[in-house]
Amino acid sequence: SDVGLQHLRGLQLQYLNLNNCIKITDAGMKIINLSSLIELCVGGCTITDNTVRLLGTARLKKLDMSYCRQITMKNIKSYTESLRKHLTDLNLNSCPNIDDESLEQMSNFSFLQKIQLDNCQSITNVGFGRIVVRSPLSHISLLNCKYISSVGISYLGSRSITYLDVRGANVREIDSFAKLSFSCPDALAISFPE
C-alpha cells in the first residue's frame, strides 16, 4: 500500500517491482525516489498519468504499466524528456484508455525497441503508424488489437522485426503475411491470426 512505500523513502533504487499492488496510488509513488530507477513495474496498480509525470527525471529503460486502467499517456510530452531519451521497453497491455492520441504522445520515444499493447482496443492503424515510423521498434505485441489491420502492419516496412504478435488483430490478407515475412527476414517469431 501507499503506507508501505514509506519504508522506501530516500532509497536510491534501480529496480522496483510493485506489480498487482492494487493499493498503490499516485500518492504513494510521490513518496519514493523515482529518479534513480532503471526498471519500474507497476502493472495493476491504481495509478494515473500523474505517476508518469513523476517519472520525468528517471532514466528508465523498462516500464511496465500493464493493467493500469487509468493510464492514458496523454498530455505527457513536456514531462517525459528523460523517458524519450532512455526508455527501450514499454508494456501497456490491457490499458483500456490507450488510444491513437496516446501513441502520438509516445512517438518521440527515440529508443523504444519493445512495445506491448495487447488488448488496447482503441488503437487503430493511424496511431500505430505514428509510433512505428518514429521509433526503432523491433518487438511488437498487438494481441487482440482489433482495429489494427494489414494497413497498420504495412507501416513496419522493411525494418528488422524480431517479434510480432498480431493474433486477434484484423490482419487477414495472406499477401500481408507474405510481404511481412519477406521484409522481416530476421524475425524470430511472428504470430498471425488463425
Side-chain angles (χ1 to χ4, degrees), residues 16-22 40-45 64-66 68:
L16 182 60
N17 187 336
L18 299 170
N19 271 344
N20 297 314
C21 295
I22 59 173
L40 176 61
C41 299
V42 288
C45 294
D64 179 347
M65 294 187 296
S66 58
C68 291

Side-chain angles (χ1 to χ4, degrees), residues 20-47:
N20 297 314
C21 295
I22 59 173
K23 293 185 179 182
I24 301 291
T25 68
D26 294 331
M29 296 305 290
K30 288 180 186 177
I31 295 170
I32 56 180
N33 179 0
L34 300 171
S35 64
S36 60
L37 289 174
I38 295 171
E39 289 187 18
L40 176 61
C41 299
V42 288
C45 294
T46 312
I47 60 170

Side-chain angles (χ1 to χ4, degrees), residues 39-91:
E39 289 187 18
L40 176 61
C41 299
V42 288
C45 294
T46 312
I47 60 170
T48 69
D49 289 341
N50 290 328
T51 290
V52 177
R53 290 180 184 101
L54 293 172
L55 298 173
T57 60
R59 294 182 177 269
L60 284 174
K61 291 188 180 293
K62 181 178 181 179
L63 177 58
D64 179 347
M65 294 187 296
S66 58
Y67 299 94
C68 291
R69 301 211 157 278
Q70 298 176 54
I71 293 289
T72 69
M73 297 298 280
K74 294 178 184 166
N75 302 312
I76 61 163
K77 272 191 177 177
S78 60
Y79 300 98
T80 56
E81 184 65 20
S82 185
L83 290 179
R84 185 184 75 75
K85 293 179 180 177
H86 301 284
L87 196 66
T88 60
D89 184 340
L90 179 61
N91 184 342

Side-chain angles (χ1 to χ4, degrees), residues 90-128:
L90 179 61
N91 184 342
L92 294 169
N93 285 345
S94 298
C95 293
N97 294 311
I98 298 298
D99 60 15
D100 289 348
E101 185 182 341
S102 307
L103 295 182
E104 172 66 29
Q105 292 285 313
M106 295 181 287
S107 66
N108 68 342
F109 288 12
S110 309
F111 296 97
L112 194 60
Q113 297 171 9
K114 179 179 180 180
I115 192 162
Q116 295 169 266
L117 298 166
D118 298 353
N119 301 306
C120 292
Q121 298 291 321
S122 298
I123 294 172
T124 71
N125 294 326
V126 173
F128 180 66

